[in-house]
Amino acid sequence: MLFFVLLAAVNGFVTIINKMINLEAKKSLGTINGTLINYLEATVISLVIVLLLGDSRLADLSHWSAVPLVNLLGGVFGLVAMVLTVIAMERVRISYSTIILLAGQLGTGFILDAIAAGKVVPLKLLGLLIVIAGIFLDQMATGRSAETHLKEQE
Amino acid sequence: MNFFLLLVSGICLGLMVSLNGRLAVDFNLFEVSFLVHLIGAVMLLAAAKLIQKEKIQLLGAPRYVYFVGFMGVAIIVMTSLSTTYIGAALTMVLSITAQLVGSAVVDHFGWFRVPVNKFSWRRVPAFAVILTGLLLMIFS
């Protein structure tokens, strides 16, 4: 149990390091080439694991006929998110970008859940509003905008 | 402008998580990872050739950059394992908390060539409010 609690926390740290390395790849090779490294490597590694595990349904055309192709759009949204993130992260504080990303992601999750369930859970809405209030509080605590802070250092 | 880009990025992440979750009904974890990364790679190659007329150049970055794909797949495995054994809600809270702390640490020390932004204790109440909101969203 404790091992998996630690693993979840390590996962969060690795997520930040992963974003920073993507940013470094963008700085070194440009947005498209830098992002491409991540995507090409992950494609090959995932394929190798799929082949090692065996019993894949990827090449089964009859299985594909039942798959809603709209679900593949996750790949498109993931790419757009990655490109926009590395562009914006270069110009703002990392902690600020993490908070805005999480607020956008959880807010979208909240809206999708509400549409699926056909109702709004008031406590979830309250949670979202508290997160937004926290973001403004953080801006007030630092006294100036994250972007201005960086520009002054340049 | 950057706030807007990050917000749109977060919205895209939310949509991605939902759609990948639906794709996982028909395929296993690594098949989903293969499909979404393949789609992204093809789109990037097309953008490089057709839109930007950019030469594909993958060499020349610091060595550690080339671990980025391994880390991406490791994140998928760690998320899956944690979710299986301690549940999705606790996994999300722990991961988000670690992301908030981790990003403040990167800012504080200026790791990865980012400008140093020393952590101010005045930010702690704001972080506590944000975490309270996140907990409410995840557990309600």
Side-chain angles (χ1 to χ4, degrees), chain B residues 35-109:
Chain B
L35 286 169
V36 297
H37 284 108
L38 179 68
I39 290 166
V42 170
M43 285 177 66
L44 283 167
L45 286 168
K49 284 289 168 197
L50 302 175
I51 303 167
Q52 299 249 341
K53 311 270 186 212
E54 201 173 296
K55 192 182 161 200
I56 305 295
Q57 166 70 41
L58 301 180
L59 298 176
R63 275 187 197 162
Y64 64 82
V65 164
Y66 298 96
F67 285 101
V68 73
F70 290 92
M71 287 178 95
V73 177
I75 289 168
I76 293 170
V77 173
M78 286 191 284
T79 306
S80 171
L81 281 174
S82 304
T83 304
T84 304
Y85 289 95
I86 60 173
L90 188 54
T91 297
M92 197 182 269
V93 169
L94 289 164
S95 172
I96 286 175
T97 307
Q99 283 186 54
L100 290 175
V101 174
S103 53
V105 169
V106 170
D107 276 334
H108 184 80
F109 292 106

